[in-house]
Each structure stands twice: as C-alpha cells, then as structure tokens.
Amino acid sequence: MQQSYIQLQDLNVWYGEAHSLKNISMDIPAQGITAIIGPSGCGKTTLLRCLNRLLEETPRVRVRGKVLVDGVDIYGPGIDVTELRARVGLLAPKPFPLPMSIYENVAYGPRIHGLRNGRNLDAIVEQNLQAAGLWEEVKDRLRTPAASLSTGQQQRLCLARALAVEPEVLLCDEATSALDPISAQSVEAQLQSLKQATTIVVVTHMLRQAHRLADTIIFMWMGELVEAGPAAQLFNAPRDERTRAYLAGDIG
C-alpha cells in the first residue's frame, strides 16, 4: 500500500454561512499525481487551497479540522505560513510572472530564503528551467523581461519558480486551462517527469486530462468526498452511483 503524505481529518470549510467542504477525511499518497475531479462548484479548488493555507486569505472563510503534511498539522499553532508555502507550492490557472527578468523570476524564491551566491543561483536557475522544459527556449535571453514570453512559456516559468524552492508538494489549480494544446501538453509532460520526487495534486475539469495524468483520483460532489482511490479502479469500476453518472456525462 502506498504511503500517504497528506492526511485530511474531518476538514470543513465555510464561506460565511455557506458550508463549502463537509467532513472531508482522506489520505493523499506520497509522490505520484492525485487529481481532484467533479462538477463546477463542488469544492475542488477550495480543497486544494486548504493544503497550503491560501484559502484563509479569503474574507469570512472558516476552516475546521486537520490537514497533516508529512505528519504535521499545518493549521496547528506555531506554523510559519511563508515556510509552508515554500514546501507546498502552487501553480495557478493563469501564469503570473513577477515584473522582472526570466532569471530573477526563478532566483526570487532562493534569494528570499537566504541563498545569494551567484554561482549557486545560476545553477538553480538552469536546473529548474530544465525541469520545467523551458531552458533551451530561454537560455540566451535570461535577462529579458518575463512578460516577453508567450502564455505557455510564462506558465512553465511559473512552474520553474515554484520548483526553485524545492517544494515537497506541488498544487496545480487548472494549471493548463489558459494554455493552447501544445503548451498544455508540455506542462503535462513536465508534471509526469516530476512525480517520482514530488507529491503533485491537480484540480482539473477535463476528464481526459485526469485519465492521462492521474495515479489517484478524488471525486467531489456538492462539497462532499464521494470516493477516492487508484485512477484505474475509479475510472473502470467506481463504487458510487454519482461517480458512475458523472464519468458517463449524465450529471455535472
């Protein structure tokens, strides 16, 4: 049985009086890609953003329950949220490169975490641009503005920036939804290459993408966890009628 790296225990979320996530308890395996699927408004992104405490920046949100990352409750006392978000990185739906050069975008995280040696930074920038599949396209223009890149290149730059602080977990919130098919394919390929060393959790509304990427599936419905398990089992023999109906396109 695969070891779990993230454990959710009786997780509940409210937006004001609206109960968005209801009593979620489950384990997310170490390494591999876990995909969260379900219809719009079912709580996919809410669940994802609980995993690095980004959700609590939304006004009138309440979070109750436990989220353990490598055995530590990230909502417990004394947690350094900045350090947590370095350990649990996020790739958003649209790329948001920092208003600086390609090089400085990737070097930004290591710099703020105390690494200032130029030679080491050069190696970190190259290594992570390589990991994001972008190095060959930008190696001769590292000092040009990141805004000069195409949208697909910017998303891979944001991936390199997230990887530069060596996250243990990478969260991807519809990370290819703003990209053309070729750029999306490139990002998917990079995620597949990273999954042996990193726990990756993706939210996707595309069942075909979940088929291509996921080792584990979480199916959400109306704020509830309906079922979770190995992708092959859930796609081929779902236990719950709602899962079967969603996969068949009858609901959602």
Side-chain angles (χ1 to χ4, degrees):
M1 185 175 181
Q2 192 171 4
Q3 181 182 4
S4 62
Y5 195 77
I6 300 172
Q7 297 172 304
L8 310 181
Q9 298 178 0
D10 199 26
L11 181 66
N12 286 265
V13 173
W14 292 263
Y15 291 93
E17 299 303 314
H19 197 176
S20 179
L21 291 185
K22 304 168 185 176
N23 307 312
I24 306 294
S25 294
M26 63 164 299
D27 293 351
I28 295 175
Q31 287 86 51
I33 298 176
T34 295
I36 306 173
I37 65 171
S40 297
C42 70
K44 300 187 298 292
T45 292
T46 296
L47 177 59
L48 190 79
R49 291 180 175 237
C50 285
L51 304 183
N52 70 347
R53 291 183 54 171
L54 192 62
L55 192 68
E56 64 190 38
E57 297 183 4
T58 305
R60 301 184 67 227
V61 162
R62 288 181 294 136
V63 179
R64 298 289 182 271
K66 291 185 177 182
V67 177
L68 281 69
V69 176
D70 198 19
V72 176
D73 182 8
I74 66 171
Y75 288 90
I79 296 297
D80 184 326
V81 176
T82 300
E83 180 184 352
L84 169 68
R85 290 176 186 160
R87 294 175 57 210
V88 185
L90 175 70
L91 195 60
K94 294 182 180 180
F96 290 101
L98 301 172
M100 51 184 67
S101 71
I102 295 167
Y103 181 100
E104 290 299 333
N105 263 267
V106 184
Y108 180 80
R111 282 192 198 279
I112 64 173
H113 288 282
L115 182 61
R116 302 198 177 272
N117 183 291
R119 184 172 297 174
N120 286 343
L121 276 176
D122 288 350
I124 288 170
V125 169
E126 179 176 349
Q127 174 187 339
N128 288 288
L129 287 171
Q130 291 271 18
L134 191 58
W135 174 252
E136 292 299 326
E137 297 168 46
V138 303
K139 63 183 180 182
D140 297 323
R141 49 178 175 140
L142 294 175
R143 301 297 176 177
T144 59
S148 67
L149 298 173
S150 70
T151 301
Q153 289 173 324
Q154 288 182 17
Q155 188 68 314
R156 283 183 284 151
L157 178 64
C158 291
L159 175 58
R161 189 177 70 208
L163 295 175
V165 294
E166 300 182 350
E168 301 158 24
V169 179
L170 181 63
L171 310 177
C172 301
D173 186 7
E174 302 278 13
T176 64
S177 61
L179 305 183
D180 63 87
I182 299 300
S183 296
Q185 186 178 37
S186 180
V187 171
E188 286 186 13
Q190 305 317 314
L191 296 179
Q192 289 281 21
S193 71
L194 293 167
K195 71 178 188 177
Q196 298 303 323
T198 308
T199 299
I200 300 173
V201 186
V202 304
V203 161
T204 181
H205 67 279
M206 296 181 289
L207 284 177
R208 282 182 289 185
Q209 185 175 65
H211 268 284
R212 289 193 299 269
L213 286 179
D215 303 293
T216 302
I217 295 289
I218 299 169
F219 175 56
M220 302 286 297
W221 179 265
M222 301 294 288
E224 297 180 0
L225 170 65
V226 175
E227 62 179 299
Q233 176 269 312
L234 192 139
F235 280 129
N236 295 320
R239 297 185 299 270
D240 192 280
E241 180 57 38
R242 290 167 293 180
T243 313
R244 287 192 286 272
Y246 178 73
L247 294 177
D250 297 331
I251 59 175

